[in-house]
Amino acid sequence: MTNLIFKNEIKLSEQTSEVDKRFDERRISLLPLIKNHLLNFELFKDQDVAVTFINGKGVSSIISLLETGGRRFILKIPLSIKYSLGEAQFLKVWASAGVNVPNIIDDGMLGEHPYIIYDYIEADTLIDSYSRAELVENRIFVEIGQTMRMMHVPKATGYGHVIDGKAEYLNFEDWLESPELMKKIGYVVENKIITEEHGSIIVAKERLKKFIGKENVSSYCHEDITISNIFNTEPLTVFDPNPRFNHGYIDLARAIQGTIFDGDSDEARTQLLEGYFGADSYDIHALHATVVFYCYMKLPYAHKNNKTKNIKNIQEYLLRTRDLLVMS
């Protein structure tokens, strides 16, 4: 008989927003499902299993360390329902393309929530391993760009969130004009966080429509490639994606936007492009249009959380590079 030993309890957020309260309710409701699954998981049969909830990390997920028989595993359960689907699917696709990802032991559904169990990785993340200057000095951003290029080799159909293993939208334009994205753009425009002087969102969107066209061939995109979501291994290990079907430029622009947001140097972005494109040519104007677009996607969060320094970093970068936003 399997014996579960809980080292601590799930910590509730205790915040008052509707999202936080809803996530706390889901934490509580998921606990008996977690217990039942672990008690009946064949790999753990007739063993003592120590369960430690990793509180304070993975705010939007329940993260647990499982220890048994000299082995350690991570159990991850996203608290979102729609936005978190597809993680195991994407990790498996990237692994088949030669990308280093966590070794999946088990995945499925607990109620309405996807879960994944994978081998614990004995490594720090890049953000815990290097200073920002050291990341550039060691050309880590080149490796990140190379890794992203490998991740985008497998092709899919459609764009957006994962629904029943497939893309939410068949066409790029339908995704680009979706209510979710238009709401974010509207927030930025209404609050004048960035304006026409930083670069027209209308021009950026039209440039993207023309560049990507009516093709519905997409890639498996991470949508959160940052130094917080990459383990410092050889080769680098990518984890914790926000699975989305999209064009590779969208995913690359997210990574570029992250370096702008955090105040990294132009050299960091140069290295990303070097790693991603190598000796291949690329459309710098289409890529910049994608960066402008992605800034609109991320600024509502920054504005609502008073990240004034990060917002200023984006404003200054877009002013400095505004001449790149042109139609071909």
Side-chain angles (χ1 to χ4, degrees), residues 15 35 73 140 152 200 207 233 260 318:
Q15 299 299 312
K35 291 179 179 179
F73 309 90
I140 300 299
H152 295 159
S200 168
R207 185 69 181 81
T233 56
I260 300 166
L318 293 181

Side-chain angles (χ1 to χ4, degrees), residues 18-35:
E18 288 301 315
V19 172
D20 287 312
K21 287 191 289 186
R22 184 164 62 248
F23 277 11
D24 276 348
E25 291 171 358
R26 291 175 182 175
R27 288 183 177 95
I28 294 170
S29 66
L30 278 164
L31 185 55
L33 299 181
I34 293 171
K35 291 179 179 179

Side-chain angles (χ1 to χ4, degrees), residues 18-67:
E18 288 301 315
V19 172
D20 287 312
K21 287 191 289 186
R22 184 164 62 248
F23 277 11
D24 276 348
E25 291 171 358
R26 291 175 182 175
R27 288 183 177 95
I28 294 170
S29 66
L30 278 164
L31 185 55
L33 299 181
I34 293 171
K35 291 179 179 179
N36 183 66
H37 183 70
L38 295 181
L39 286 171
N40 291 282
F41 187 33
E42 186 64 26
L43 184 62
F44 297 161
K45 186 177 181 180
D46 297 329
Q47 296 187 52
D48 291 337
V49 182
V51 182
T52 304
F53 294 108
I54 304 177
N55 296 314
K57 294 185 178 181
V59 174
S60 59
S61 299
I62 296 175
I63 308 291
S64 308
L65 174 65
L66 312 176
E67 300 175 278

Side-chain angles (χ1 to χ4, degrees), residues 54-282:
I54 304 177
N55 296 314
K57 294 185 178 181
V59 174
S60 59
S61 299
I62 296 175
I63 308 291
S64 308
L65 174 65
L66 312 176
E67 300 175 278
T68 182
R71 296 182 65 183
R72 294 194 286 177
F73 309 90
I74 291 293
L75 166 63
K76 177 185 176 183
I77 309 170
L79 294 170
S80 170
I81 296 175
K82 174 183 176 182
Y83 294 161
S84 60
L85 296 173
E87 179 170 358
Q89 175 186 351
F90 276 46
L91 290 175
K92 290 174 183 178
V93 168
W94 291 328
S96 70
V99 180
N100 218 35
V101 298
N103 179 46
I104 297 174
I105 303 298
D106 183 38
D107 66 275
M109 300 292 294
L110 290 178
E112 296 182 289
H113 296 263
Y115 75 88
I116 185 171
I117 297 177
Y118 56 82
D119 283 322
Y120 181 84
I121 296 173
E122 293 281 357
D124 290 328
T125 58
L126 291 178
I127 196 171
D128 292 326
S129 301
Y130 300 98
S131 69
R132 295 198 173 271
E134 288 171 338
L135 288 167
V136 172
E137 291 169 6
N138 289 279
R139 294 177 58 79
I140 300 299
F141 287 104
V142 175
E143 292 184 61
I144 295 174
Q146 292 169 336
T147 302
M148 291 188 71
R149 184 65 178 262
M150 292 173 62
M151 293 166 69
H152 295 159
V153 169
K155 298 305 176 187
T157 300
Y159 302 87
H161 298 293
V162 183
I163 299 178
D164 295 328
K166 299 179 181 180
E168 184 178 15
Y169 295 96
L170 181 61
N171 300 307
F172 178 75
E173 188 167 336
D174 291 339
W175 172 78
L176 194 64
E177 301 292 344
S178 63
E180 178 187 350
L181 305 190
M182 294 302 294
K183 181 179 179 180
K184 292 180 179 180
I185 291 172
Y187 183 94
V188 174
V189 172
E190 180 180 349
N191 288 279
K192 299 179 180 179
I193 308 172
I194 51 178
T195 63
E196 290 287 319
E197 68 173 336
H198 300 95
S200 168
I201 186 60
I202 295 175
V203 171
K205 288 172 63 179
E206 290 304 313
R207 185 69 181 81
L208 285 176
K209 291 176 186 178
K210 186 172 183 179
F211 175 70
I212 296 177
K214 297 188 181 300
E215 295 182 5
N216 63 353
V217 178
S218 58
S219 296
Y220 293 79
C221 292
H222 189 288
E223 220 217 18
D224 198 17
I225 284 286
T226 68
I227 56 177
S228 298
N229 292 332
I230 303 174
F231 285 117
N232 183 28
T233 56
E234 183 57 46
L236 300 176
T237 299
V238 176
F239 71 107
D240 205 18
N242 289 327
R244 302 288 187 274
F245 293 107
N246 222 311
H247 192 280
Y249 272 41
I250 299 289
D251 215 14
L252 179 58
R254 166 66 181 96
I256 293 172
Q257 183 270 338
T259 66
I260 300 166
F261 190 82
D262 291 331
D264 290 316
S265 65
D266 285 343
E267 176 59 24
R269 290 177 280 280
T270 298
Q271 288 184 16
L272 270 177
L273 299 181
E274 177 186 341
Y276 191 87
F277 292 108
D280 295 342
S281 61
Y282 64 95

